[in-house]
Amino acid sequence: MSYGVKLKVWGDYALFTRPEMKSERVSYDVITPSAARGVLEAVYWKPEIKWIIKKIHVLKPIRFTNIRRNEVSQRTKKPSTSLINKGGTDDSLALYIEDSRQQRASMILRDVSYVIEAYCQLNDPADSNIGKHLDMFKRRAAKGKCFSQPYFGCREFSANFRRLGEDEAIASSENNGEKDLGFMLHDLDYQNNYQPRFFRAVMHNGIIEVPDLFAEEVKT
């Protein structure tokens, strides 16, 4: 059994990084299903449920801009278990920004606005408490509450959100006609060693229909 929700999300900037262009980041044209799922999970998620994305409404024209950001070129090392247990410190775990700072270019989206249509599914078919989860999501979204601030691809690009009522109409998109957006990341297959799966995204009058993660047209 499943129940649908509609969530409007918008923000000044977004960066849904194409995996084939990670050093100099380039964004997909629109939010990916996995990023949309992340937004919903930031508002409400429990281990008993999962969010399935069905449609993405792209309300505003697709616009890109270029920025340069200061980043660090390496990650901090993980402390060993013995070091943690002893409560000790290790100078080799430190990361000095001045020594590893580098500037990278990014092609990002600006002035984005989407409506995410999704439904909530229980992981255990024997569980019948989906109404409880749906009510909690509605209350949290209506009050602007979230477990963590939703974001568009990178945490510095925060997302605003508002739940649309069941009878509330979705605003018309400014994108008309059909546009082939090429292959896009759908999501990761967590049951198969985090294997990425891709689908051909086609936008019809601003609406992208998202197939099931394991549908025939979704490729690895």
Side-chain angles (χ1 to χ4, degrees):
M1 186 177 291
S2 61
Y3 295 87
V5 298
K6 292 183 289 186
L7 191 73
K8 181 178 179 179
V9 293
W10 68 97
D12 295 331
Y13 299 102
L15 175 55
F16 309 109
T17 306
R18 292 177 177 271
E20 68 272 25
M21 301 177 184
K22 289 186 69 175
S23 59
E24 301 293 336
R25 297 191 178 99
V26 176
S27 177
Y28 282 114
D29 291 359
V30 299
I31 187 172
T32 62
S34 60
R37 175 180 56 78
V39 169
L40 293 174
E41 289 179 349
V43 176
Y44 179 77
W45 179 80
K46 292 289 183 183
E48 296 86 353
I49 67 168
K50 61 182 176 183
W51 291 105
I52 309 295
I53 308 300
K54 294 306 295 177
K55 288 183 183 178
I56 295 173
H57 298 251
V58 184
L59 301 182
K60 291 193 173 181
I62 299 170
R63 304 185 183 99
F64 285 93
T65 189
N66 294 293
I67 63 170
R68 284 188 175 275
R69 297 184 298 172
N70 291 326
E71 301 180 10
V72 292
S73 60
Q74 55 185 315
R75 297 179 179 177
T76 56
K77 298 178 182 177
K78 292 182 179 178
S80 64
T81 304
S82 61
L83 183 65
I84 294 174
N85 292 337
K86 293 177 182 177
T89 59
D90 187 344
D91 289 341
S92 66
L93 301 177
L95 176 64
Y96 297 98
I97 296 175
E98 289 77 11
D99 296 335
S100 58
R101 178 185 291 146
Q102 62 180 209
Q103 200 170 59
R104 289 186 177 179
S106 298
M107 181 181 288
I108 67 174
L109 295 165
R110 64 180 177 87
D111 192 20
V112 298
S113 181
Y114 309 106
V115 171
I116 301 167
E117 285 193 70
Y119 64 87
C120 178
Q121 192 173 66
L122 290 167
N123 292 320
D124 183 0
D127 192 344
S128 60
N129 288 327
I130 196 166
K132 174 189 70 176
H133 297 294
L134 195 64
D135 288 342
M136 291 180 72
F137 174 85
K138 290 179 178 178
R139 286 198 299 270
R140 294 182 66 83
K143 295 178 180 178
K145 290 185 175 180
C146 52
F147 289 128
S148 60
Q149 178 63 45
Y151 57 90
F152 289 132
C154 292
R155 290 191 182 277
E156 57 264 50
F157 302 143
S158 60
N160 305 301
F161 64 92
R162 180 176 74 84
R163 186 179 74 87
L164 300 185
E166 295 179 2
D167 299 327
E168 187 173 351
I170 298 174
S172 300
S173 170
E174 298 180 37
N175 300 287
N176 298 315
E178 180 175 307
K179 184 174 183 179
D180 187 350
L181 303 177
F183 279 98
M184 174 186 291
L185 176 66
H186 187 302
D187 211 326
L188 301 178
D189 180 2
Y190 292 95
Q191 304 300 320
N192 191 17
N193 198 26
Y194 302 94
Q195 188 176 50
R197 298 182 66 85
F198 299 85
F199 75 109
R200 188 106 193 182
V202 179
M203 184 168 65
H204 297 277
N205 295 324
I207 301 174
I208 301 171
E209 301 275 355
V210 181
D212 184 82
L213 181 61
F214 298 103
E216 186 177 353
E217 64 265 38
V218 181
K219 310 295 183 183
T220 57

